[in-house]
Amino acid sequence: MSITDVKPTRSELIATRKRIKLSISGHKLLKMKRDGLIIEFFDILPKVKDMRSQLVELYTAADKRLAVAMVADGKSALKSAANCRQTPPQVELSENNIMGVVVPKIKVSTIQKSVEERGYGLIGTSVRIDESVHAFEKLAEKVLEAAELETTMKKLLDEIESTKRRVNALEFKVIPNLEEIAAYITLRLEELERENVFRLKRIKG
Amino acid sequence: MEIGVIGREMFTTGFRLVGVHKWFSVNDEVDSEKAVKTALEDKNIGVLVIHDTEWQELEEKTQTKLSNSVSPTVIAIGSSVDNTLRERIRTAVGVDLWK
Protein backbone atom coordinates (compact mmCIF):
# COMPACT_ATOMS: atom_id res chain seq x y z
CA MET A 1 0.00 0.00 0.00
CA SER A 2 1.47 3.35 -0.94
CA ILE A 3 1.19 6.48 1.16
CA THR A 4 -1.19 8.16 -1.30
CA ASP A 5 -3.82 5.41 -0.94
CA VAL A 6 -4.07 5.81 2.82
CA LYS A 7 -7.05 7.44 4.49
CA PRO A 8 -5.78 9.48 7.44
CA THR A 9 -8.23 8.20 10.04
CA ARG A 10 -7.74 7.05 13.60
CA SER A 11 -8.97 3.51 12.81
CA GLU A 12 -6.49 3.26 9.94
CA LEU A 13 -3.72 4.37 12.30
CA ILE A 14 -4.66 1.65 14.79
CA ALA A 15 -4.76 -0.98 12.01
CA THR A 16 -1.36 0.16 10.67
CA ARG A 17 0.20 0.03 14.12
CA LYS A 18 -1.17 -3.50 14.55
CA ARG A 19 0.37 -4.48 11.21
CA ILE A 20 3.72 -2.98 12.23
CA LYS A 21 3.66 -4.99 15.45
CA LEU A 22 2.82 -8.17 13.53
CA SER A 23 5.51 -7.53 10.93
CA ILE A 24 8.13 -6.93 13.61
CA SER A 25 7.29 -10.15 15.41
CA GLY A 26 7.23 -12.02 12.07
CA HIS A 27 10.60 -10.54 11.17
CA LYS A 28 12.04 -11.65 14.49
CA LEU A 29 10.71 -15.19 14.05
CA LEU A 30 11.96 -15.46 10.47
CA LYS A 31 15.38 -14.22 11.54
CA MET A 32 15.48 -16.93 14.18
CA LYS A 33 14.42 -19.51 11.60
CA ARG A 34 17.12 -18.35 9.18
CA ASP A 35 19.78 -18.57 11.89
CA GLY A 36 18.58 -22.02 12.90
CA LEU A 37 18.70 -23.22 9.29
CA ILE A 38 22.20 -21.82 8.85
CA ILE A 39 23.35 -23.67 11.98
CA GLU A 40 21.86 -26.90 10.57
CA PHE A 41 23.58 -26.19 7.26
CA PHE A 42 26.99 -25.66 8.85
CA ASP A 43 26.48 -28.88 10.76
CA ILE A 44 25.79 -30.88 7.61
CA LEU A 45 28.29 -29.24 5.20
CA PRO A 46 31.50 -31.00 6.39
CA LYS A 47 29.67 -34.33 6.37
CA VAL A 48 28.54 -33.80 2.76
CA LYS A 49 32.03 -32.73 1.66
CA ASP A 50 33.58 -35.76 3.31
CA MET A 51 30.92 -38.05 1.88
CA ARG A 52 31.46 -36.65 -1.63
CA SER A 53 35.20 -37.33 -1.56
CA GLN A 54 34.61 -40.86 -0.25
CA LEU A 55 32.06 -41.40 -2.98
CA VAL A 56 34.49 -40.31 -5.69
CA GLU A 57 37.17 -42.67 -4.36
CA LEU A 58 34.77 -45.59 -4.14
CA TYR A 59 33.32 -44.91 -7.57
CA THR A 60 36.74 -44.68 -9.22
CA ALA A 61 37.81 -47.95 -7.58
CA ALA A 62 34.55 -49.73 -8.49
CA ASP A 63 34.68 -48.46 -12.06
CA LYS A 64 38.26 -49.68 -12.46
CA ARG A 65 37.41 -53.13 -11.12
CA LEU A 66 34.40 -53.36 -13.38
CA ALA A 67 36.48 -52.36 -16.40
CA VAL A 68 39.04 -55.05 -15.57
CA ALA A 69 36.29 -57.65 -15.18
CA MET A 70 34.68 -56.52 -18.42
CA VAL A 71 37.94 -56.85 -20.35
CA ALA A 72 39.00 -60.17 -18.79
CA ASP A 73 35.68 -61.98 -18.49
CA GLY A 74 33.55 -60.29 -21.09
CA LYS A 75 30.27 -58.45 -21.05
CA SER A 76 28.15 -61.61 -21.12
CA ALA A 77 29.78 -63.03 -17.97
CA LEU A 78 29.06 -59.81 -16.12
CA LYS A 79 25.50 -59.69 -17.36
CA SER A 80 24.81 -63.28 -16.41
CA ALA A 81 26.21 -62.61 -12.93
CA ALA A 82 23.99 -59.52 -12.72
CA ASN A 83 20.93 -61.50 -13.78
CA CYS A 84 21.57 -64.04 -11.00
CA ARG A 85 21.04 -61.44 -8.29
CA GLN A 86 17.48 -62.16 -7.24
CA THR A 87 16.71 -59.90 -4.30
CA PRO A 88 17.15 -56.19 -4.93
CA PRO A 89 18.44 -54.02 -2.07
CA GLN A 90 15.49 -52.52 -0.24
CA VAL A 91 15.35 -48.97 1.06
CA GLU A 92 12.88 -47.52 3.51
CA LEU A 93 12.15 -43.92 2.65
CA SER A 94 10.58 -41.65 5.24
CA GLU A 95 10.39 -37.91 5.73
CA ASN A 96 12.00 -35.80 8.41
CA ASN A 97 11.11 -32.24 9.30
CA ILE A 98 13.81 -29.66 10.04
CA MET A 99 12.17 -26.32 10.89
CA GLY A 100 9.44 -26.85 8.33
CA VAL A 101 11.76 -28.24 5.67
CA VAL A 102 10.81 -31.75 4.60
CA VAL A 103 13.97 -33.83 4.11
CA PRO A 104 14.36 -37.51 3.27
CA LYS A 105 15.41 -40.18 5.72
CA ILE A 106 16.71 -43.36 4.15
CA LYS A 107 16.94 -46.64 5.99
CA VAL A 108 18.86 -49.34 4.15
CA SER A 109 18.85 -53.08 4.51
CA THR A 110 22.40 -54.47 4.31
CA ILE A 111 23.68 -54.35 0.77
CA GLN A 112 27.01 -56.09 1.24
CA LYS A 113 26.57 -59.83 1.04
CA SER A 114 28.92 -62.77 1.22
CA VAL A 115 29.87 -64.58 -1.98
CA GLU A 116 27.51 -67.48 -1.16
CA GLU A 117 24.57 -65.18 -0.63
CA ARG A 118 24.99 -63.39 -3.95
CA GLY A 119 23.10 -66.01 -5.90
CA TYR A 120 25.56 -66.78 -8.68
CA GLY A 121 27.68 -69.91 -8.81
CA LEU A 122 31.20 -69.78 -7.44
CA ILE A 123 32.66 -71.73 -10.34
CA GLY A 124 30.94 -69.71 -13.04
CA THR A 125 32.38 -66.36 -11.99
CA SER A 126 35.90 -65.10 -11.58
CA VAL A 127 37.58 -63.28 -8.72
CA ARG A 128 37.48 -60.12 -10.80
CA ILE A 129 33.69 -60.23 -10.94
CA ASP A 130 33.51 -60.92 -7.19
CA GLU A 131 35.77 -57.95 -6.55
CA SER A 132 33.74 -55.62 -8.74
CA VAL A 133 30.51 -56.77 -7.06
CA HIS A 134 32.08 -56.09 -3.68
CA ALA A 135 33.28 -52.65 -4.82
CA PHE A 136 29.84 -51.73 -6.15
CA GLU A 137 28.17 -52.99 -2.96
CA LYS A 138 30.38 -50.67 -0.92
CA LEU A 139 29.64 -47.84 -3.35
CA ALA A 140 25.88 -48.43 -3.22
CA GLU A 141 25.88 -48.25 0.58
CA LYS A 142 27.74 -44.95 0.52
CA VAL A 143 25.53 -43.60 -2.27
CA LEU A 144 22.44 -44.07 -0.14
CA GLU A 145 24.01 -42.27 2.82
CA ALA A 146 25.15 -39.46 0.53
CA ALA A 147 21.73 -39.19 -1.13
CA GLU A 148 20.10 -38.45 2.21
CA LEU A 149 22.72 -35.89 3.24
CA GLU A 150 22.97 -34.09 -0.11
CA THR A 151 19.23 -33.76 -0.59
CA THR A 152 18.91 -32.47 2.98
CA MET A 153 21.57 -29.88 2.27
CA LYS A 154 20.00 -28.79 -1.02
CA LYS A 155 16.61 -28.36 0.62
CA LEU A 156 18.15 -26.45 3.52
CA LEU A 157 19.92 -24.12 1.07
CA ASP A 158 16.67 -23.41 -0.76
CA GLU A 159 14.87 -22.64 2.48
CA ILE A 160 17.73 -20.43 3.72
CA GLU A 161 17.54 -18.43 0.50
CA SER A 162 13.78 -17.93 0.61
CA THR A 163 13.82 -17.11 4.34
CA LYS A 164 16.61 -14.63 3.76
CA ARG A 165 14.52 -12.94 1.06
CA ARG A 166 11.50 -12.74 3.34
CA VAL A 167 13.58 -11.31 6.20
CA ASN A 168 15.08 -8.68 3.91
CA ALA A 169 11.71 -7.78 2.41
CA LEU A 170 10.24 -7.25 5.88
CA GLU A 171 13.26 -5.38 7.18
CA PHE A 172 13.88 -3.06 4.25
CA LYS A 173 10.51 -2.74 2.55
CA VAL A 174 7.42 -3.74 4.53
CA ILE A 175 8.24 -2.36 7.99
CA PRO A 176 9.71 0.98 6.80
CA ASN A 177 6.71 1.44 4.50
CA LEU A 178 4.24 0.79 7.30
CA GLU A 179 6.13 3.11 9.63
CA GLU A 180 6.02 5.81 7.00
CA ILE A 181 2.24 5.34 6.65
CA ALA A 182 1.77 5.50 10.45
CA ALA A 183 3.86 8.70 10.62
CA TYR A 184 1.85 10.24 7.78
CA ILE A 185 -1.50 9.42 9.42
CA THR A 186 -0.29 10.81 12.77
CA LEU A 187 0.83 14.00 11.09
CA ARG A 188 -2.44 14.41 9.20
CA LEU A 189 -4.52 13.76 12.35
CA GLU A 190 -2.51 16.33 14.31
CA GLU A 191 -2.99 18.81 11.52
CA LEU A 192 -6.74 18.17 11.45
CA GLU A 193 -6.86 18.71 15.20
CA ARG A 194 -4.99 22.00 14.92
CA GLU A 195 -7.34 23.12 12.16
CA ASN A 196 -10.29 22.22 14.35
CA VAL A 197 -8.94 24.17 17.31
CA PHE A 198 -8.29 27.18 15.08
CA ARG A 199 -11.80 26.95 13.62
CA LEU A 200 -13.38 26.82 17.10
CA LYS A 201 -11.36 29.85 18.18
CA ARG A 202 -12.53 31.78 15.13
CA ILE A 203 -16.17 30.88 15.84
CA LYS A 204 -15.82 31.91 19.51
CA GLY A 205 -14.07 35.17 18.50
CA MET B 1 11.19 -49.37 -2.04
CA GLU B 2 14.00 -50.01 -4.45
CA ILE B 3 17.03 -48.25 -5.90
CA GLY B 4 16.88 -47.01 -9.50
CA VAL B 5 19.94 -46.37 -11.68
CA ILE B 6 20.28 -44.17 -14.77
CA GLY B 7 23.42 -44.08 -16.88
CA ARG B 8 25.42 -45.71 -19.64
CA GLU B 9 25.49 -49.49 -19.88
CA MET B 10 28.74 -49.88 -17.93
CA PHE B 11 27.39 -47.81 -15.05
CA THR B 12 24.07 -49.65 -14.84
CA THR B 13 25.81 -53.04 -15.10
CA GLY B 14 27.84 -52.19 -12.02
CA PHE B 15 24.71 -51.54 -10.01
CA ARG B 16 22.93 -54.53 -11.50
CA LEU B 17 25.71 -56.64 -9.99
CA VAL B 18 24.57 -55.35 -6.58
CA GLY B 19 21.06 -56.57 -7.33
CA VAL B 20 19.45 -53.38 -8.58
CA HIS B 21 16.54 -54.37 -10.82
CA LYS B 22 15.34 -50.92 -11.84
CA TRP B 23 17.93 -49.69 -14.29
CA PHE B 24 17.51 -47.33 -17.19
CA SER B 25 20.27 -47.33 -19.75
CA VAL B 26 21.03 -44.19 -21.69
CA ASN B 27 22.14 -44.82 -25.26
CA ASP B 28 21.77 -43.43 -28.76
CA GLU B 29 18.05 -44.16 -28.78
CA VAL B 30 17.16 -43.20 -25.21
CA ASP B 31 18.38 -39.83 -23.96
CA SER B 32 18.77 -38.80 -20.32
CA GLU B 33 15.49 -36.85 -20.21
CA LYS B 34 13.53 -39.84 -21.48
CA ALA B 35 15.26 -42.21 -19.05
CA VAL B 36 14.51 -39.87 -16.13
CA LYS B 37 10.88 -39.57 -17.19
CA THR B 38 10.51 -43.35 -17.34
CA ALA B 39 12.20 -43.74 -13.97
CA LEU B 40 9.94 -41.16 -12.33
CA GLU B 41 6.87 -43.05 -13.51
CA ASP B 42 7.89 -45.98 -11.32
CA LYS B 43 6.55 -45.18 -7.87
CA ASN B 44 8.47 -48.01 -6.25
CA ILE B 45 11.82 -46.24 -6.69
CA GLY B 46 12.93 -44.64 -3.44
CA VAL B 47 16.43 -43.55 -4.42
CA LEU B 48 17.48 -42.69 -7.94
CA VAL B 49 21.20 -42.81 -8.75
CA ILE B 50 22.24 -41.00 -11.89
CA HIS B 51 25.66 -40.69 -13.49
CA ASP B 52 27.09 -37.20 -13.55
CA THR B 53 27.45 -37.14 -17.36
CA GLU B 54 23.74 -37.86 -17.78
CA TRP B 55 22.92 -35.38 -15.01
CA GLN B 56 24.73 -32.62 -16.92
CA GLU B 57 22.73 -33.46 -20.04
CA LEU B 58 19.43 -32.81 -18.26
CA GLU B 59 17.57 -29.55 -18.66
CA GLU B 60 17.93 -27.07 -15.81
CA LYS B 61 14.22 -27.41 -15.01
CA THR B 62 14.54 -31.18 -14.63
CA GLN B 63 17.68 -30.80 -12.54
CA THR B 64 15.91 -28.44 -10.13
CA LYS B 65 12.89 -30.71 -9.92
CA LEU B 66 15.06 -33.74 -9.17
CA SER B 67 17.26 -31.87 -6.67
CA ASN B 68 14.23 -30.93 -4.58
CA SER B 69 12.54 -34.29 -4.84
CA VAL B 70 12.25 -36.30 -1.64
CA SER B 71 10.48 -39.31 -3.11
CA PRO B 72 12.48 -40.42 -5.02
CA THR B 73 15.63 -38.95 -3.54
CA VAL B 74 18.02 -38.29 -6.41
CA ILE B 75 21.81 -38.30 -6.33
CA ALA B 76 24.33 -37.75 -9.11
CA ILE B 77 27.68 -39.50 -8.81
CA GLY B 78 30.85 -39.51 -10.84
CA SER B 79 32.35 -36.09 -10.16
CA SER B 80 33.99 -34.55 -7.13
CA VAL B 81 32.10 -31.28 -7.20
CA ASP B 82 28.52 -30.65 -8.13
CA ASN B 83 28.77 -27.14 -9.58
CA THR B 84 25.08 -26.41 -9.16
CA LEU B 85 25.40 -27.25 -5.48
CA ARG B 86 28.43 -25.00 -5.17
CA GLU B 87 26.55 -22.17 -6.83
CA ARG B 88 23.57 -22.73 -4.55
CA ILE B 89 25.80 -22.48 -1.47
CA ARG B 90 27.26 -19.24 -2.78
CA THR B 91 23.82 -17.75 -3.39
CA ALA B 92 22.33 -18.84 -0.08
CA VAL B 93 25.20 -18.17 2.30
CA GLY B 94 27.09 -15.55 0.32
CA VAL B 95 30.46 -17.33 0.31
CA ASP B 96 31.82 -20.33 -1.53
CA LEU B 97 32.20 -22.77 1.34
CA TRP B 98 32.93 -25.77 -0.86
CA LYS B 99 36.69 -25.00 -1.02
Side-chain angles (χ1 to χ4, degrees):
Chain A
M1 193 195 292
S2 80
I3 208 158
T4 46
D5 306 327
V6 181
K7 284 178 197 148
T9 59
R10 212 161 283 280
S11 62
E12 191 71 41
L13 181 65
I14 292 166
T16 312
R17 278 186 182 151
K18 263 187 193 165
R19 279 169 65 198
I20 292 174
K21 217 172 152 186
L22 187 73
S23 304
I24 288 171
S25 69
H27 175 249
K28 206 173 149 190
L29 278 172
L30 280 171
K31 249 172 112 173
M32 276 158 68
K33 184 185 174 183
R34 182 196 63 190
D35 294 346
L37 286 169
I38 287 176
I39 290 169
E40 287 283 344
F41 166 74
F42 275 108
D43 194 38
I44 210 170
L45 180 69
K47 288 183 202 164
V48 174
K49 274 166 87 173
D50 183 44
M51 194 65 82
R52 203 15 92 168
S53 56
Q54 281 184 45
L55 214 59
V56 171
E57 272 172 39
L58 284 172
Y59 176 66
T60 318
D63 202 38
K64 249 184 214 166
R65 283 184 199 282
L66 188 69
V68 170
M70 185 88 87
V71 170
D73 300 293
K75 212 186 253 184
S76 56
L78 277 172
K79 280 192 176 169
S80 72
N83 289 334
C84 289
R85 299 295 300 252
Q86 292 300 316
T87 44
Q90 293 293 320
V91 289
E92 236 177 80
L93 192 69
S94 55
E95 287 175 356
N96 211 351
N97 199 321
I98 305 174
M99 278 177 241
V101 187
V102 180
V103 296
K105 190 154 181 61
I106 301 166
K107 217 172 146 188
V108 199
S109 60
T110 39
I111 290 178
Q112 288 193 50
K113 289 190 172 143
S114 64
V115 184
E116 302 90 58
E117 287 172 319
R118 284 179 189 159
Y120 51 73
L122 286 173
I123 303 157
T125 53
S126 68
V127 183
R128 292 171 294 271
I129 294 180
D130 288 339
E131 279 179 346
S132 44
V133 172
H134 182 63
F136 266 92
E137 279 177 344
K138 279 209 290 192
L139 173 71
E141 272 188 0
K142 229 4 132 202
V143 161
L144 296 175
E145 279 178 53
E148 184 186 313
L149 283 175
E150 275 196 17
T151 312
T152 304
M153 196 170 91
K154 282 176 186 169
K155 297 213 85 172
L156 280 177
L157 283 169
D158 272 359
E159 194 63 22
I160 288 171
E161 211 185 319
S162 64
T163 314
K164 220 168 82 178
R165 274 207 195 115
R166 280 187 209 136
V167 169
N168 285 346
L170 279 172
E171 193 173 337
F172 299 110
K173 181 88 186 132
V174 179
I175 297 172
N177 197 18
L178 286 172
E179 278 171 347
E180 201 183 333
I181 289 170
Y184 167 73
I185 297 173
T186 318
L187 213 77
R188 283 289 295 148
L189 286 175
E190 279 172 4
E191 209 176 301
L192 283 171
E193 213 173 299
R194 277 196 296 273
E195 274 173 20
N196 217 14
V197 170
F198 180 72
R199 203 177 293 125
L200 281 171
K201 277 184 180 171
R202 284 280 296 232
I203 293 164
K204 272 188 180 176
Chain B
M1 289 182 125
E2 289 183 37
I3 304 170
V5 183
I6 296 174
R8 296 267 157 194
E9 201 188 353
M10 180 96 164
F11 184 71
T12 52
T13 308
F15 278 92
R16 280 176 65 200
L17 286 171
V18 181
V20 172
H21 286 180
K22 315 244 178 202
W23 46 277
F24 308 88
S25 279
V26 175
N27 46 45
D28 297 337
E29 288 159 25
V30 183
D31 66 346
S32 313
E33 284 284 343
K34 207 171 169 187
V36 166
K37 205 180 157 200
T38 323
L40 290 179
E41 278 166 13
D42 192 330
K43 298 291 167 210
N44 201 26
I45 294 177
V47 178
L48 193 61
V49 185
I50 179 164
H51 193 272
D52 196 59
T53 320
E54 277 66 48
W55 176 260
Q56 299 300 337
E57 282 170 14
L58 293 173
E59 281 175 26
E60 211 179 310
K61 205 174 91 184
T62 321
Q63 283 187 358
T64 318
K65 186 185 162 194
L66 293 179
S67 293
N68 293 326
S69 162
V70 172
S71 180
T73 303
V74 183
I75 182 166
I77 62 166
S79 76
S80 55
V81 188
D82 181 355
N83 281 326
T84 48
L85 185 67
R86 203 170 175 166
E87 189 55 39
R88 260 165 130 168
I89 295 173
R90 222 173 52 78
T91 328
V93 190
V95 230
D96 186 5
L97 292 168
W98 196 274
K99 280 177 186 170

Coordinates of all heavy atoms in Angstrom, one line a residue, chain B residues 39-79:
Chain B
A39 N 11.9 -43.4 -15.4 CA 12.2 -43.7 -14.0 C 11.2 -43.1 -13.0 O 10.8 -43.7 -12.0 CB 13.6 -43.3 -13.6
L40 N 10.8 -41.9 -13.3 CA 9.9 -41.2 -12.3 C 8.5 -41.7 -12.4 O 7.8 -41.6 -11.4 CB 9.9 -39.7 -12.6 CG 11.2 -38.9 -12.3 CD1 11.0 -37.4 -12.7 CD2 11.6 -39.0 -10.9
E41 N 8.2 -42.4 -13.4 CA 6.9 -43.0 -13.5 C 6.7 -44.2 -12.6 O 5.7 -44.6 -12.1 CB 6.6 -43.5 -14.9 CG 6.1 -42.4 -15.8 CD 6.1 -42.7 -17.3 OE1 6.3 -43.9 -17.6 OE2 6.0 -41.8 -18.1
D42 N 7.9 -44.8 -12.2 CA 7.9 -46.0 -11.3 C 7.9 -45.5 -9.9 O 8.8 -44.9 -9.4 CB 9.2 -46.8 -11.5 CG 9.1 -48.2 -10.9 OD1 8.4 -48.3 -9.8 OD2 9.7 -49.1 -11.4
K43 N 6.7 -45.7 -9.2 CA 6.5 -45.2 -7.9 C 7.2 -46.0 -6.8 O 7.2 -45.7 -5.6 CB 5.1 -45.1 -7.5 CG 4.3 -44.1 -8.4 CD 4.7 -42.6 -8.2 CE 4.2 -41.7 -9.3 NZ 5.0 -40.6 -9.6
N44 N 7.8 -47.2 -7.2 CA 8.5 -48.0 -6.2 C 10.0 -47.7 -6.1 O 10.7 -48.3 -5.4 CB 8.3 -49.5 -6.7 CG 8.5 -50.4 -5.5 OD1 8.3 -50.0 -4.3 ND2 8.9 -51.6 -5.8
I45 N 10.4 -46.6 -6.8 CA 11.8 -46.2 -6.7 C 11.9 -45.2 -5.6 O 11.3 -44.2 -5.6 CB 12.4 -45.7 -8.0 CG1 12.4 -46.8 -9.1 CG2 13.7 -45.1 -7.9 CD1 12.8 -46.4 -10.5
G46 N 12.8 -45.5 -4.6 CA 12.9 -44.6 -3.4 C 14.1 -43.7 -3.6 O 14.1 -42.6 -3.2
V47 N 15.2 -44.3 -4.2 CA 16.4 -43.6 -4.4 C 16.8 -43.7 -5.9 O 16.9 -44.9 -6.4 CB 17.6 -44.0 -3.5 CG1 18.8 -43.3 -3.8 CG2 17.2 -43.9 -2.0
L48 N 17.1 -42.6 -6.5 CA 17.5 -42.7 -7.9 C 18.9 -42.2 -8.1 O 19.3 -41.1 -7.7 CB 16.5 -41.8 -8.7 CG 16.6 -41.9 -10.3 CD1 16.2 -43.3 -10.7 CD2 15.6 -40.9 -10.9
V49 N 19.8 -43.1 -8.6 CA 21.2 -42.8 -8.7 C 21.4 -42.5 -10.2 O 21.0 -43.3 -11.1 CB 22.1 -44.0 -8.3 CG1 23.6 -43.6 -8.4 CG2 21.7 -44.4 -6.9
I50 N 22.0 -41.4 -10.5 CA 22.2 -41.0 -11.9 C 23.7 -40.6 -12.1 O 24.3 -40.0 -11.2 CB 21.3 -39.9 -12.3 CG1 21.5 -39.4 -13.7 CG2 21.3 -38.7 -11.4 CD1 20.3 -38.6 -14.3
H51 N 24.2 -41.0 -13.2 CA 25.7 -40.7 -13.5 C 25.8 -39.2 -13.8 O 24.9 -38.6 -14.4 CB 26.2 -41.5 -14.7 CG 27.7 -41.5 -14.7 ND1 28.3 -40.5 -15.5 CD2 28.6 -42.2 -14.2 CE1 29.6 -40.7 -15.3 NE2 29.9 -41.7 -14.6
D52 N 26.9 -38.6 -13.4 CA 27.1 -37.2 -13.5 C 27.0 -36.7 -15.0 O 26.5 -35.6 -15.3 CB 28.4 -36.8 -12.9 CG 28.5 -35.3 -12.7 OD1 27.7 -34.8 -12.0 OD2 29.4 -34.7 -13.3
T53 N 27.5 -37.5 -15.9 CA 27.5 -37.1 -17.4 C 26.0 -37.0 -17.8 O 25.7 -36.0 -18.5 CB 28.1 -38.2 -18.2 OG1 29.3 -38.7 -17.6 CG2 28.5 -37.7 -19.6
E54 N 25.2 -37.9 -17.4 CA 23.7 -37.9 -17.8 C 23.0 -36.7 -17.0 O 22.2 -36.1 -17.6 CB 23.0 -39.2 -17.5 CG 23.2 -40.2 -18.5 CD 24.7 -40.7 -18.6 OE1 25.3 -41.0 -17.6 OE2 25.2 -40.8 -19.8
W55 N 23.5 -36.5 -15.8 CA 22.9 -35.4 -15.0 C 23.2 -34.0 -15.7 O 22.3 -33.2 -15.8 CB 23.6 -35.4 -13.6 CG 23.1 -34.2 -12.7 CD1 23.8 -33.1 -12.5 CD2 21.9 -34.1 -12.0 NE1 23.1 -32.3 -11.6 CE2 22.0 -32.9 -11.3 CE3 20.8 -35.0 -11.8 CZ2 20.9 -32.5 -10.5 CZ3 19.8 -34.5 -11.0 CH2 19.8 -33.3 -10.4
Q56 N 24.4 -33.9 -16.2 CA 24.7 -32.6 -16.9 C 23.9 -32.4 -18.2 O 23.7 -31.3 -18.6 CB 26.2 -32.6 -17.3 CG 27.2 -32.7 -16.1 CD 27.0 -31.5 -15.1 OE1 26.5 -30.5 -15.4 NE2 27.4 -31.8 -13.8
E57 N 23.5 -33.5 -18.8 CA 22.7 -33.5 -20.0 C 21.3 -33.0 -19.8 O 20.6 -32.6 -20.7 CB 22.7 -34.8 -20.7 CG 24.0 -35.1 -21.5 CD 24.1 -36.6 -22.0 OE1 23.0 -37.3 -21.9 OE2 25.2 -37.0 -22.3
L58 N 20.8 -33.1 -18.6 CA 19.4 -32.8 -18.3 C 19.2 -31.3 -18.3 O 20.1 -30.5 -18.1 CB 19.1 -33.3 -16.9 CG 19.0 -34.8 -16.6 CD1 18.8 -35.1 -15.1 CD2 17.9 -35.5 -17.4
E59 N 17.9 -31.0 -18.6 CA 17.6 -29.6 -18.7 C 17.6 -29.0 -17.2 O 17.4 -29.7 -16.3 CB 16.1 -29.4 -19.2 CG 16.0 -29.5 -20.7 CD 14.6 -29.5 -21.1 OE1 13.7 -28.9 -20.4 OE2 14.3 -30.0 -22.2
E60 N 17.8 -27.7 -17.1 CA 17.9 -27.1 -15.8 C 16.7 -27.3 -15.0 O 16.7 -27.5 -13.8 CB 18.2 -25.6 -16.0 CG 19.0 -25.0 -14.9 CD 19.3 -23.5 -15.1 OE1 19.8 -23.2 -16.2 OE2 19.1 -22.8 -14.1
K61 N 15.5 -27.2 -15.7 CA 14.2 -27.4 -15.0 C 14.1 -28.8 -14.4 O 13.7 -28.9 -13.2 CB 13.1 -27.2 -16.1 CG 11.8 -26.8 -15.5 CD 10.8 -26.5 -16.6 CE 10.0 -27.7 -16.9 NZ 9.1 -27.6 -18.1
T62 N 14.6 -29.8 -15.1 CA 14.5 -31.2 -14.6 C 15.5 -31.3 -13.5 O 15.2 -32.0 -12.5 CB 14.9 -32.2 -15.8 OG1 14.3 -31.8 -17.0 CG2 14.5 -33.6 -15.4
Q63 N 16.7 -30.7 -13.6 CA 17.7 -30.8 -12.5 C 17.1 -30.2 -11.2 O 17.3 -30.8 -10.2 CB 18.9 -30.0 -12.9 CG 19.8 -30.8 -13.9 CD 21.1 -30.1 -14.1 OE1 21.4 -29.0 -13.6 NE2 22.0 -30.7 -15.0
T64 N 16.5 -29.1 -11.3 CA 15.9 -28.4 -10.1 C 14.8 -29.3 -9.5 O 14.8 -29.5 -8.3 CB 15.3 -27.1 -10.5 OG1 16.2 -26.4 -11.4 CG2 15.1 -26.2 -9.3
K65 N 14.0 -29.9 -10.4 CA 12.9 -30.7 -9.9 C 13.5 -31.9 -9.2 O 13.0 -32.3 -8.1 CB 12.1 -31.2 -11.1 CG 10.8 -31.9 -10.8 CD 10.1 -32.4 -12.1 CE 9.2 -33.5 -11.7 NZ 8.8 -34.2 -13.0
L66 N 14.5 -32.5 -9.8 CA 15.1 -33.7 -9.2 C 15.8 -33.4 -7.9 O 15.8 -34.2 -6.9 CB 16.0 -34.4 -10.1 CG 15.4 -35.1 -11.4 CD1 16.4 -35.7 -12.3 CD2 14.3 -36.1 -11.0
S67 N 16.5 -32.3 -7.9 CA 17.3 -31.9 -6.7 C 16.4 -31.7 -5.5 O 16.7 -32.0 -4.3 CB 18.0 -30.5 -6.9 OG 19.0 -30.7 -7.9
N68 N 15.1 -31.2 -5.7 CA 14.2 -30.9 -4.6 C 13.3 -32.1 -4.3 O 12.5 -32.0 -3.4 CB 13.4 -29.7 -4.9 CG 14.3 -28.4 -4.9 OD1 15.2 -28.4 -4.1 ND2 14.0 -27.5 -5.7
S69 N 13.5 -33.2 -5.0 CA 12.5 -34.3 -4.8 C 13.0 -35.1 -3.6 O 14.1 -35.4 -3.4 CB 12.5 -35.1 -6.1 OG 12.0 -36.4 -5.9
V70 N 12.0 -35.5 -2.8 CA 12.2 -36.3 -1.6 C 11.9 -37.8 -2.0 O 12.6 -38.7 -1.6 CB 11.4 -35.8 -0.4 CG1 11.5 -36.8 0.7 CG2 11.9 -34.4 0.0
S71 N 10.8 -38.0 -2.7 CA 10.5 -39.3 -3.1 C 10.3 -39.3 -4.6 O 9.3 -38.9 -5.1 CB 9.2 -39.7 -2.4 OG 8.8 -41.0 -2.8
P72 N 11.2 -39.8 -5.4 CA 12.5 -40.4 -5.0 C 13.6 -39.4 -4.7 O 13.5 -38.3 -5.2 CB 12.9 -41.2 -6.3 CG 12.3 -40.4 -7.4 CD 11.0 -39.8 -6.9
T73 N 14.5 -39.8 -3.8 CA 15.6 -38.9 -3.5 C 16.7 -39.2 -4.6 O 17.0 -40.3 -5.0 CB 16.2 -39.3 -2.2 OG1 15.2 -39.2 -1.2 CG2 17.4 -38.5 -1.8
V74 N 17.1 -38.1 -5.3 CA 18.0 -38.3 -6.4 C 19.4 -37.9 -6.1 O 19.7 -36.9 -5.4 CB 17.5 -37.4 -7.6 CG1 18.4 -37.7 -8.8 CG2 16.1 -37.8 -7.9
I75 N 20.4 -38.7 -6.5 CA 21.8 -38.3 -6.3 C 22.6 -38.6 -7.6 O 22.4 -39.5 -8.3 CB 22.4 -39.1 -5.1 CG1 23.9 -38.6 -4.9 CG2 22.3 -40.6 -5.2 CD1 24.5 -39.0 -3.6
A76 N 23.5 -37.6 -7.9 CA 24.3 -37.8 -9.1 C 25.7 -38.1 -8.6 O 26.3 -37.4 -7.7 CB 24.4 -36.5 -9.9
I77 N 26.3 -39.1 -9.2 CA 27.7 -39.5 -8.8 C 28.6 -39.6 -10.0 O 28.1 -39.7 -11.2 CB 27.8 -40.8 -8.0 CG1 27.3 -42.0 -8.8 CG2 27.0 -40.7 -6.7 CD1 27.6 -43.3 -8.2
G78 N 29.9 -39.4 -9.7 CA 30.8 -39.5 -10.8 C 31.8 -38.3 -10.9 O 32.8 -38.3 -11.6
S79 N 31.4 -37.2 -10.2 CA 32.3 -36.1 -10.2 C 32.5 -35.6 -8.7 O 31.7 -35.9 -7.9 CB 31.8 -34.9 -11.0 OG 30.8 -34.3 -10.3

